[in-house]
Amino acid sequence: MPASRNRLAAPSRTHTAGHVAGKSPSAGHPPNGHAEFLIAGIGASAGGLEACKGLLDALSGNNGAAFILVQHLAPNHESMMVELLSSHTAMKVVQAAEGMIVETNHLYVIPP
């Protein structure tokens, strides 16, 4: 597995800075020999699309971090967020799924 990958956990688990909660790395060494990288959470209300577009317009597409967008979305409607945000960043934009590998320079959008 490449050095810049982690897995998305089920909602009951938490991740911080590339670590799985409850698993401490050795002093000064990343867990499992993987390089550490920032995983940033972005929260937005249902009306936050324009703000998200503005943020992505300002971010470098090669920033070495992973971003997870948590936006209030109606659970009974298909989301167009991936398509709507993809044109505002050079990062790869995907819908998040449990067990998915988290990679740098990616934006993960939670499903409705």
Side-chain angles (χ1 to χ4, degrees), residues 23-70:
K23 294 186 179 182
S24 300
S26 302
H29 295 87
N32 305 321
H34 299 289
E36 292 183 12
F37 60 95
L38 178 68
I39 299 175
I42 304 166
S45 66
L49 177 60
E50 292 306 314
C52 290
K53 287 179 181 178
L55 175 64
L56 293 177
D57 288 337
L59 283 174
S60 165
N62 187 22
N63 53 56
F67 297 87
I68 300 175
L69 175 60
V70 179

Side-chain angles (χ1 to χ4, degrees), residues 3-19:
S4 62
R5 294 184 172 191
N6 288 307
R7 291 191 186 273
L8 284 176
S12 62
R13 299 180 194 147
T14 59
H15 288 252
T16 57
H19 292 117

Side-chain angles (χ1 to χ4, degrees), residues 48-110:
L49 177 60
E50 292 306 314
C52 290
K53 287 179 181 178
L55 175 64
L56 293 177
D57 288 337
L59 283 174
S60 165
N62 187 22
N63 53 56
F67 297 87
I68 300 175
L69 175 60
V70 179
Q71 185 173 21
H72 181 263
L73 301 168
N76 54 349
H77 289 92
E78 285 293 317
S79 174
M80 298 287 298
M81 291 301 291
V82 170
E83 293 81 6
L84 293 171
L85 296 176
S86 291
S87 63
H88 291 272
T89 182
M91 289 187 286
K92 185 169 182 169
V93 181
V94 298
Q95 184 168 301
E98 184 177 342
M100 179 178 275
I101 302 277
V102 176
E103 299 181 73
T104 59
N105 305 319
H106 281 61
L107 171 65
Y108 299 90
V109 179
I110 66 161

